[in-house]
């Protein structure tokens, strides 16, 4: 395993899932032949995916296809049983130190926000920089305020999460993740618990973030978002990556029948 | 603001209206009000007579209690014993100093906006017991030693309850975390500890601590009866506390654990900064409930020959010099317990209100 695998050495192994653009940038995430089981249930089957630094990837697929499970494996909220996941040159194993160092570089935004209700917005944002990164409090607060401005809610800094709307809470959650200055951001259906009028405010923040060159993996059903910002759209079904392609190709000319069927269903409304 | 003309409807009703709508709204409500009112009035008058109007408060000797009412003279004369037990008179200032510190730490907790309230509370939970550890037994810093067999009365009750309470909270928290640990050995040990201690009545624990434990300890190694009782009470209370706290831990949604992990917080930081603050806040009523039970259960130390407030009173009411003062004695004990338990309860309500951030995930 010592020799770094390149795109080319992997390509022959029939990999419709990982046709990343062949530019010179290094891969920041490498998933190789990864499997996961819940007990006897085989949730993820032979996943392969290389993500370049700065690449924006949208993952879609029907409910229960394993999208959440997959991106939760990338920061080890779930454990995989076979294959390899390498994030920023650190392989995820049982070693707690490796897991900690990966989690420092990977921010995550959840469907249900998961803000800490006993802390104010500002405290939510500063918690990890202070306790994990050991940033001095003053500095952490100043930087948190910058991110809160970026997600356009600096005026809510001293409120508690319970006093905010869903859209505001999700933007705080994004700011909180960004405060750790991660190299990669994972989003698990960040807008699907929101009312329609709040979806846009969160998507706007995500689009801006995409513009800043952040590496993003985003599970979402917002196909408009996929079309505007994604470098690649990946379709999962039944625990497998069925195909992945740049959005124009993916939406106009899907290769697999399963993808076509999914797109027909989702694009109807 | 132009809308300011639209006023929020007033909720409070005038007293007359309140009385009419709550006490005399229908014929059977009126009947109930009249009957209960009659009963209350007829029983309150004799009670007041006994408690205050015809009671004897001052005097020199038992025979001064001649009236029909209560003989508070008895309490008055033996108060020293009820508060300090056999603690030497000339050293009682040390105990008084602790009472004052206790008041300084906790009375401000009831006063909204008192300066440094939080720090006083923290001092009460950390510094106060340390100071007490040196002040009450003495022996260091030139303080004359006082054996624990001389401690008694209210002071002993407070020592037992206070140490039991503040020691059981951290131990109980660790046990609760242990019981939910993913490490089988730690989980197993926690379960066994909790289930064994919780299944035993406190009276048995105290009895074992005072009678059986010395039999097992090696020759020459013995520590005081009070210390053994304290250890017994603390461990027993910790087992209860652990289960209350575990209830809180289980009520925290999985998303909170995941968000904390995803932010890179390790186990102890995740628990200490995210999970426990929420879990403990959630179970304040349960925690306070166990505190109050413990406070009252400390009276059981009587059976191992320690004289807490109930013990001192009980041993005095049988004094032949005083006749028929048992009721006064027990009323006094009940009142003391009520004051402290009610105080704990009010304090916890304050705390709950303050910690409520208006939303549960
Ligand atoms: N903890 C678990 N134990 C057992 N099975 C699980 C667990 N979590 C998820 N699953 C199963 O794994 C499969 C994939 O779940 P996952 O949540 O990854 O799907 P998803 O693609 O994110 O779906 P959705 O769009 O509904 O969020 C589902 O069939 C689900 O029932
Ligand atoms: Mg999901």
């Amino acid at each position: 395993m010592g020799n770094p695998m390149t795109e080319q050495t992997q390509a022959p192994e029939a990999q419709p899932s990982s046709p990343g653009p062949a530019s010179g940038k290094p891969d920041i995430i490498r998933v190789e032949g990864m499997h996961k089981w819940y007990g006897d249930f085989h949730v993820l089957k032979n996943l392969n995916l290389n993500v370049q630094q700065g690449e924006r990837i949208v993952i879609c697929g029907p409910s229960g296809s394993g999208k959440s499970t997959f991106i939760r494996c990338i920061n080890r909220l779930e454990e995989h049983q076979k294959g390899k996941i390498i994030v920023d040159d650190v392989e995820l194993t049982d070693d707690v130190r490796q897991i900690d160092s990966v989690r420092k570089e990977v921010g995550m935004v959840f469907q249900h926000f998961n803000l800490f209700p006993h802390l104010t917005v500002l405290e939510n944002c500063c918690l990890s920089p202070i306790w994990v990164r050991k940033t001095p409090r003053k500095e952490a607060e100043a930087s948190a305020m910058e991110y809160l401005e970026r997600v356009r809610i600096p005026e809510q800094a001293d409120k508690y999460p319970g006093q905010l709307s869903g859209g505001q809470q999700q933007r705080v959650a994004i700011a909180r993740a960004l405060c750790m200055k991660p190299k990669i951001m994972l989003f698990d259906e960040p807008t699907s618990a929101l009312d329609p009028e709040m979806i846009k405010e969160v998507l706007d923040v995500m689009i801006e973030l995409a513009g800043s060159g952040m590496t993003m993996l985003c599970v979402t059903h917002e196909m408009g978002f996929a079309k505007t910002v994604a470098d690649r759209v990946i379709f999962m079904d039944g625990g497998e990556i069925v195909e992945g392609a740049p959005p124009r190709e993916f939406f106009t000319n899907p290769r697999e029948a399963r993808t076509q069927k999914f797109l027909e269903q989702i694009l109807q409304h | 603001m132009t809308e300011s003309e639209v006023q929020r409807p007033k909720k409070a009703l005038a007293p007359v209206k309140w009385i009419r709508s709550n006490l005399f709204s229908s014929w059977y409500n009126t009947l109930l009000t009249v009957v209960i009112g009659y009963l209350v009035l007829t029983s309150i008058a004799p009670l007041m007579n006994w408690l205050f109007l015809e009671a004897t408060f001052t005097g020199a000797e038992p025979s001064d209690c001649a009236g029909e009412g209560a003989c508070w003279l008895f309490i008055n004369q033996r108060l020293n014993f009820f508060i300090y037990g056999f603690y030497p008179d000339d050293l009682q200032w040390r105990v008084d100093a602790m009472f004052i510190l206790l008041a300084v730490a906790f009375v401000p907790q009831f006063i909204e906006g008192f300066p440094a309230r939080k720090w006083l509370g923290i001092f009460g939970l950390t510094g106060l017991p340390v100071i007490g550890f040196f002040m009450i037994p003495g022996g260091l810093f030139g303080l004359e030693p006082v054996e624990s067999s001389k401690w008694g009365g209210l002071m002993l009750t407070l020592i037992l309850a206070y140490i039991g309470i503040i020691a059981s909270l951290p131990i109980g928290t660790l046990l609760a975390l242990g019981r939910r640990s993913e490490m089988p050995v730690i989980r197993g040990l926690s379960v066994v500890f909790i289930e064994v201690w919780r299944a035993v009545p406190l009276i048995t624990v105290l009895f074992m601590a005072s009678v059986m434990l010395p039999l097992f300890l090696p020759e020459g190694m013995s520590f005081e009866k009070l210390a053994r009782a304290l250890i017994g009470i603390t461990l027993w209370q910790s087992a209860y506390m652990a289960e209350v706290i575990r209830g809180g831990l289980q009520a925290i949604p999985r998303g909170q654990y995941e968000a904390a992990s995803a932010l890179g917080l390790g186990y102890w930081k995740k628990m200490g900064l995210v999970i426990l603050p929420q879990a403990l806040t959630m179970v304040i009523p349960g925690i306070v409930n166990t505190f109050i039970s413990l406070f009252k259960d400390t009276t059981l130390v009587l059976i191992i020959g320690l004289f807490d407030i109930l013990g001192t009173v009980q041993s005095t009411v049988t004094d032949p010099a005083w006749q028929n003062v048992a009721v006064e004695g027990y009323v006094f004990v009940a009142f003391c317990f009520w004051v402290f338990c009610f105080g704990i309860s009010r304090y916890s309500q304050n705390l709950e209100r303050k910690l409520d951030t208006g939303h549960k995930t």
Side-chain angles (χ1 to χ4, degrees), chain A:
Chain A
M1 311 297 148
N3 57 326
M5 292 201 173
T6 59
E7 288 276 316
Q8 287 87 328
T9 53
Q10 280 189 316
E13 249 289 273
Q15 284 213 350
S17 55
S18 191
S23 69
K25 283 200 184 167
D27 289 336
I28 194 161
I29 301 176
R30 285 190 285 154
V31 178
E32 294 165 10
M34 190 264 274
H35 293 255
K36 171 168 181 61
W37 285 264
Y38 279 125
D40 286 337
F41 176 50
H42 199 170
V43 217
L44 299 178
K45 300 164 190 161
N46 191 29
L47 299 192
N48 294 282
L49 180 70
N50 287 2
V51 180
Q52 292 185 347
Q53 196 156 358
E55 216 182 341
R56 297 163 302 237
I57 292 191
V58 164
I59 301 170
C60 61
S63 182
S65 55
K67 310 177 296 287
S68 298
T69 311
F70 177 40
I71 69 163
R72 288 155 58 86
C73 283
I74 291 170
N75 65 353
R76 194 74 173 186
L77 285 182
E78 302 285 352
E79 200 179 313
H80 62 283
Q81 279 86 35
K82 201 164 167 246
K84 280 209 276 185
I85 301 178
I86 300 166
V87 179
D88 198 22
D89 291 329
V90 179
E91 180 172 358
L92 281 168
T93 58
D94 283 332
D95 190 334
V96 181
R97 277 163 308 168
Q98 317 239 51
I99 298 174
D100 284 346
S101 77
V102 166
R103 282 179 180 165
K104 275 189 210 166
E105 308 303 337
V106 180
M108 181 153 192
V109 175
F110 300 85
Q111 181 175 1
H112 296 289
F113 332 134
N114 297 351
L115 293 176
F116 305 134
H118 63 302
L119 301 177
T120 64
V121 164
L122 189 62
E123 288 165 342
N124 262 280
C125 292
C126 293
L127 189 73
S128 204
I130 289 174
W131 289 90
V132 179
R133 288 238 191 262
K134 315 278 181 212
T135 317
R137 177 173 295 270
K138 278 262 157 54
E139 218 173 283
E141 284 179 356
S143 135
M145 283 313 293
E146 273 172 36
Y147 284 109
L148 287 175
E149 255 153 53
R150 242 174 98 178
V151 302
R152 301 184 201 108
I153 34 174
E155 72 282 0
Q156 312 284 9
D158 293 322
K159 288 201 182 160
Y160 285 96
Q163 299 165 313
L164 304 184
S165 74
Q168 289 173 326
Q169 289 192 47
Q170 192 60 298
R171 285 184 283 150
V172 172
I174 294 173
R176 176 176 75 177
L178 291 175
C179 281
M180 280 295 277
K181 309 205 161 53
K183 294 182 177 158
I184 301 163
M185 285 284 284
L186 308 175
F187 293 83
D188 189 1
E189 306 202 30
T191 56
S192 53
L194 298 176
D195 292 337
E197 72 271 20
M198 294 172 187
I199 291 180
K200 186 173 176 300
E201 65 188 48
V202 171
L203 285 181
D204 286 347
V205 166
M206 290 171 62
I207 290 169
E208 198 201 304
L209 183 62
S212 74
M214 174 68 75
T215 310
M216 290 165 72
L217 257 76
C218 187
V219 175
T220 183
H221 293 127
E222 296 295 329
M223 290 304 143
F225 174 78
K227 279 177 192 158
T228 31
V229 307
D231 295 314
R232 244 193 304 169
V233 182
I234 283 173
F235 175 65
M236 286 183 72
D237 189 18
E240 295 171 278
I241 292 182
V242 177
E243 69 173 287
R248 183 138 22 106
E249 197 181 322
F250 181 86
F251 288 110
T252 54
N253 193 12
R255 266 175 294 173
E256 303 282 326
R258 280 192 278 180
T259 320
Q260 285 162 10
K261 206 170 144 225
F262 175 75
L263 284 177
E264 271 165 30
Q265 278 170 354
I266 208 164
L267 294 178
Q268 259 163 20
H269 6 247

Side-chain angles (χ1 to χ4, degrees), chain A residues 72 103 115 117-118 128 131, chain B residues 255-256 258 261 263 269 273 357:
Chain A
R72 288 155 58 86
R103 282 179 180 165
L115 293 176
H118 63 302
S128 204
W131 289 90
Chain B
Q256 294 287 311
E258 289 175 350
S261 297
L263 283 169
K269 286 176 190 161
L273 297 167
T357 56

Side-chain angles (χ1 to χ4, degrees), chain B residues 21 38 56 61 114 116 118 134 153 161 192 209 216 218 235 246 249 266 282 285 301 303 308 335:
Chain B
S21 69
Y38 174 78
T56 312
E61 50 189 84
F114 195 91
K118 185 172 145 203
F134 292 108
V192 169
F216 300 129
L235 296 181
R246 188 166 69 99
L249 290 175
M282 203 176 286
V301 295
I303 71 141
D308 74 328
F335 177 72

